Amino acid sequence: MFKIVTIPGDGIGPEVVSSAVQVINALEKKYDLEVSIEEHLFGGASYDVHSEMLTEETLEACKNCDAVLLGAVGGPKWENLPHEKKPEAALLKIRKELGLFANFRPAKVYDALVNASSLKPDILSGTDFMVIRELTGGIYFGQPRGYDENKGWNTMVYEKYEVERIARLAFETAMKREKRLVCIDKANVLECSQFWRNIVHEVHKDFPDVELTDMYVDNAAMQVVRDPKQFDVIVTKNLFGDILSDISGMITGSLGMLPSASIGKNHALYEPIHGSAPDIAGQNKANPIATIASVAMMFEHSFSMQHVADDIYKAIEKTLESGMRTADIANSDDNIASTTEITDAITAKLEVS
């Protein structure tokens, strides 16, 4: 039996997680799987009930399951809370508590959506790379940190073991793909980045078949939109990965298309990379594809069922090829489909594939 904890969260989170659960239920029947799904509160939804974003009950449930599926957290309603009580702080905490040190964010352009981006189709066509972001270190977690009326300060710090484990995972991923890895840093001005680069090169000695390239983060941001096909696997630190993965997302046409996997030694959490989109929450307009694709990553990484993951990706591709579009990926002359219509179409294609 696979035990999954779902955390719908805030905004459009409940809608897209509901779509993902519908897909999981279809897979359960098709492949004769036994899946247990347990729902828990997190983020603003949890704060409104328990006056805290992440309860011990939710955290314990996440520690005692096979995989966690998260929708989205946050929104204007909770923006004025103290920093340590905001949804984003709870997100950092759950990553740290579960030891989720690696974030996988694929940037793949579906042929049917080659015209959905602001970039030219000939630049985008064939784009398929993976951003691997270190998730539990760097400036988001470094101490000391704080601010007063005269200044604010944060600390960017990495220990050797943190860089080694993410680098090793990145090289292993590259070995399964085209054996090309780009290490992105800012070693020309940041000592922490020079340290990062040195350790990545040390680990490279164990993977001589992988071509390793170094690139400064400012140049990388430009290259992602200039020539995205040049990349296969990218590895970078927490802050830079946060920015670059969203840039990578937009070249595919919408953040609503992109899944992610946050992986540690013993736990894994899957989520779409879009936010809670409170402006369309409850309107059946959200794009569920990123969350459904996150389920595909769950079956690939947590359950070691690549054939099921491939089945989900094919169903998504066939749905897009049929012309169905939510508003975020539609052209002006497209018929707009709702969240439930897209979900139903993907589920139907899963059942007949």
Side-chain angles (χ1 to χ4, degrees), residues 125-195:
S125 182
T127 295
D128 182 1
F129 63 90
M130 180 72 73
V131 178
I132 300 180
R133 167 191 172 192
E134 199 288 322
L135 205 58
T136 57
I139 201 167
Y140 290 175
F141 292 93
Q143 297 290 341
R145 60 189 297 158
Y147 67 93
D148 58 29
E149 63 274 14
N150 295 314
K151 65 178 179 179
W153 59 95
N154 290 88
T155 303
M156 180 181 286
V157 57
Y158 273 105
E159 295 193 35
K160 185 175 182 179
Y161 80 92
E162 293 177 301
V163 185
E164 283 181 334
R165 66 184 180 183
I166 193 73
R168 191 163 297 278
L169 196 57
F171 280 112
E172 289 170 352
T173 302
M175 285 292 292
K176 298 174 184 176
R177 294 171 56 97
E178 296 182 5
K179 299 182 180 180
R180 294 184 290 111
L181 177 65
V182 179
C183 173
I184 292 176
D185 55 45
K186 193 63 176 169
N188 55 336
V189 294
L190 297 174
E191 288 84 355
C192 181
S193 274
Q194 185 61 61
F195 174 79

Side-chain angles (χ1 to χ4, degrees), residues 73-118:
V73 295
K77 182 178 180 181
W78 307 282
E79 282 182 353
N80 293 324
L81 291 172
H83 180 79
E84 67 276 6
K85 290 185 177 294
K86 288 185 177 182
E88 293 78 10
L91 195 56
L92 293 178
K93 181 179 178 180
I94 199 170
R95 290 170 180 168
K96 196 72 172 180
E97 289 286 339
L98 297 180
L100 308 177
F101 68 87
N103 181 242
F104 285 70
R105 292 195 180 187
K108 175 181 171 62
V109 177
Y110 289 94
D111 289 341
L113 291 183
V114 74
N115 291 308
S117 171
S118 56

